[in-house]
Structures are given as structure tokens and as C-alpha cells.
Amino acid sequence: MKAMILDEKLNFLWTDVPDPVRKADEVLIRVKAAAVNRADLMQKDGKYASPPDWPQWCGLEAAGEVVEAPEDSGFQPGDAVCALLGGGGYSELVTVPAGMVIPVPEGLSFVEAATLPEVWCTVYLNLQFEAGGVKDGDVFYIQAAASGVGLAAIQLAKLYGAKVIASVGSAEKAEIVRKFGADIVVNYKEEDILPVLTENPPDIALDCIAGSKMGACFKQMKFGGRWIMIASMAGGATEIDLETVWRKRLKLIGSTLRSRTSEEKSRIMAALKNELSPLFSQKKLISNIHAVFPIQEVEAAHGVLRRSENVGKVVLTF
């Protein structure tokens, strides 16, 4: 098969590699589409390797057709599926533990289905498991709200009845996140988020930005608030008032999806299938597709994310 590997200088190279060998509990999938995530950019830069038991090239989610599957998996050759991966999605074939594979929701294309596993598992994991659930009337704060994760988080939080505060970097993105349901939208390049959080103390925050101002924002959380860190794009240093932490019983939670076990990921994918798949089919939840590129144009696809141009997901096709 061919795969878009990283050579010794971390340049992309579309080349022949050995076909994956399927284990007894795995599904072999012929990839039709794979979505791009910021973790892929970090891997391209040599800063975020795949776990040891996964291919050492990019790709955390993919959709395609089943080639082979375990007899007890419920999958048959030719089935349309999407899968959560630890790496290796930028290739013509992937093998995936059966629990991390779900049917493509009815009515969705491979391009649409490829955007589901990483983003929606990330959001479901953090809102339902790490935060302990979002309830009606909660205030939810999401940064980078026009990203794939951001748009998914807005929709899921609104589904659960939350008031959503969204932070974005342009007027265009502000308009779009409002259409996705955000109640309060702040353009951080023109406005200060701190007064907004002071007036609307969050119960839950999902943060991929961090940076020096994070500590001041964290202090504004409601009693018992949960601030969940999934990345630190603006830097990892800030100052936190620890007295506020214990007085308000705040929780600062670090969370990643990629490093979790296959068993953990399978539980999250099962929730995606059972609870959210019908909503994707009914278009009550959607992944906004910003752009689609053939796999050979992967550099251009990565460039869209590096420049933060995307509103929603960028997808590669095979």
C-alpha cells in the first residue's frame, strides 16, 4: 500500500510501505478519507509521536470500507465505517481494534464520517467523563471555538442545555459560531475575555490555548468549576491563585485522547455510536467541512490549520 510517511527530515513522502497485518481482534479498513487534526501538525514537527503500537505517521481518524473483520465484530467486508486511530490514518489501509470502529451514520459520506471520531470523542470524553456531565443551565466556555473541536463542543453543550461563551479570532468566525449556537462570542483580538467571564462565571471550560492569561480566567470560575486543558497552543506558563482553588473547590483537569488505552477509546466510541450517531443522521449535530484535499496535497491541508484559517474540519481523500 501507499502511505504519507514522514522521512528522516520530517518531510511528507507518499511512498510504498508494507500492508498492515491484521490481528485477530482488529478490523482492516481501506481508507477513503482521513481528517486533519492539530496533533498531526505536532507530529509533522517531530513533537508528538504515535504510540508505539501504531504506525509512525499522521492520521487520528479515518473512514472507509471494511476489507476484513473478526467474525464476532458485527462488521462484514464492504461495510462503510469510521475509526478512531492512534496514528497511521494517512494511508490506503489501516488496522484498528474492532471496538474503535463504528458504522458510518446513515446518510453521511466518507468525507463527513472521517470528521467524527477524533473531534466528537474528544468533546464527549471531556464534557461527559472529565467534567462529570453538562447539565441544563450550566455556563460553558470554549476557546478556539471555530475549530472542529470548538464547533462540536458548542453543539453538544447546547444539546445538554448549557449557555455557551465562545472565543474566536475574527469577525467572520464570530458570525459562524453564533450560527452554531454560541450565546456570547468574544473576538479575542479585539476584546478582553476576562470581563465576560467575570460577568458569566463558567461551570466548565474546555481550553486548548492556555497561555499567561489562563490563570486569571481560571479564577473567575463558578464554585465547583471544572477547567479542562487539552492543549497549550499559547504557551504552558501562567500564574494560578491557589487560595481560590481550594476556596471555590475548582478542578484543573489535564486530558488527552490519543494516549488512552484501546479499551478506554472503545468505550468512548460506543457512546458515540449509541448516543450521537442518530443525531448525525438527523443533522442535529454536524461537522462543518472547511476544505477537502487529495492526500497528495497534504502540505496545503496542513497549511490551512497552521494559519488558523479553518472553520471546522479539513479532510484528505484517497
Side-chain angles (χ1 to χ4, degrees):
M1 70 169 184
K2 286 189 177 294
M4 188 63 74
I5 69 167
L6 295 169
D7 66 16
E8 64 278 1
K9 295 183 179 180
L10 297 177
N11 294 315
F12 282 123
L13 178 64
W14 183 240
T15 189
D16 291 311
V17 298
D19 288 0
V21 178
R22 184 179 71 86
K23 298 176 183 176
D25 64 343
E26 292 181 333
V27 178
L28 175 64
I29 302 169
R30 186 170 301 281
V31 177
K32 299 293 185 180
V36 179
N37 291 278
R38 285 200 172 270
D40 299 339
L41 276 60
M42 295 171 64
Q43 186 159 4
K44 171 69 165 62
D45 295 340
K47 298 176 181 178
Y48 197 12
S50 302
D53 51 344
W54 287 90
Q56 296 301 302
W57 56 82
C58 302
L60 296 179
E61 55 188 343
E65 294 178 348
V66 172
V67 179
E68 298 175 0
E71 289 185 3
D72 61 352
S73 67
F75 297 112
Q76 299 292 330
D79 285 351
V81 296
C82 55
L84 181 64
L85 313 172
Y90 292 10
S91 57
E92 293 179 324
L93 296 168
V94 292
T95 54
V96 191
M100 293 164 60
V101 182
I102 64 172
V104 170
E106 184 177 353
L108 270 63
S109 67
F110 285 125
V111 167
E112 292 170 315
T115 70
L116 302 182
E118 178 69 17
V119 157
W120 289 93
C121 281
T122 294
V123 172
Y124 189 92
L125 160 69
N126 288 300
L127 295 192
Q128 292 299 88
F129 294 171
E130 296 289 12
V134 180
K135 65 182 185 298
D136 187 43
D138 278 349
V139 176
F140 172 63
Y141 172 44
I142 176 68
Q143 299 194 65
S147 67
V149 166
L151 293 179
I154 291 170
Q155 293 175 75
L156 204 58
K158 292 302 294 183
L159 183 70
Y160 297 141
K163 178 181 179 180
V164 174
I165 303 170
S167 174
V168 295
S170 73
E172 177 190 8
K173 290 180 178 180
E175 182 179 351
I176 292 171
V177 299
R178 285 191 185 96
K179 291 179 180 178
F180 274 79
D183 298 286
I184 300 173
V185 182
V186 175
N187 181 345
Y188 68 85
K189 293 183 179 179
E190 298 178 354
E191 305 171 66
D192 186 358
I193 187 65
L194 196 56
V196 176
L197 299 184
T198 302
E199 187 174 342
N200 302 273
D203 296 275
I204 301 168
L206 187 58
D207 185 6
C208 64
I209 303 298
S212 60
K213 199 167 186 176
M214 177 265 166
C217 294
F218 179 67
K219 186 177 180 179
Q220 305 310 312
M221 296 204 82
K222 199 173 294 183
F223 184 89
R226 292 86 77 200
W227 189 288
I228 304 168
M229 300 289 314
I230 60 172
S232 51
M233 292 169 56
T238 193
E239 183 175 313
I240 292 177
D241 181 350
L242 296 179
E243 184 171 342
T244 301
V245 174
W246 64 262
R247 285 191 180 276
K248 296 176 75 173
R249 288 171 50 187
L250 303 180
K251 294 181 175 68
L252 177 58
I253 302 166
S255 177
T256 62
L257 177 60
R258 190 177 199 178
S259 61
R260 293 173 191 266
T261 65
S262 296
E263 291 75 19
E264 288 178 292
K265 292 178 180 179
S266 295
R267 287 195 292 273
I268 302 167
M269 283 293 278
L272 192 72
K273 174 186 174 183
N274 296 330
E275 297 184 34
L276 302 188
S277 279
L279 301 177
F280 297 131
S281 296
Q282 298 163 18
K283 304 299 183 184
K284 292 181 179 179
L285 297 175
I286 65 170
S287 292
N288 193 63
I289 310 296
H290 179 86
V292 180
F293 294 87
I295 183 64
Q296 292 82 359
E297 296 179 20
V298 63
E299 285 280 11
H302 274 218
V304 172
L305 268 70
R306 288 189 187 277
R307 296 186 296 272
S308 297
E309 295 172 353
N310 59 300
V311 177
K313 297 289 285 183
V314 174
V315 182
L316 301 168
T317 56
F318 295 75

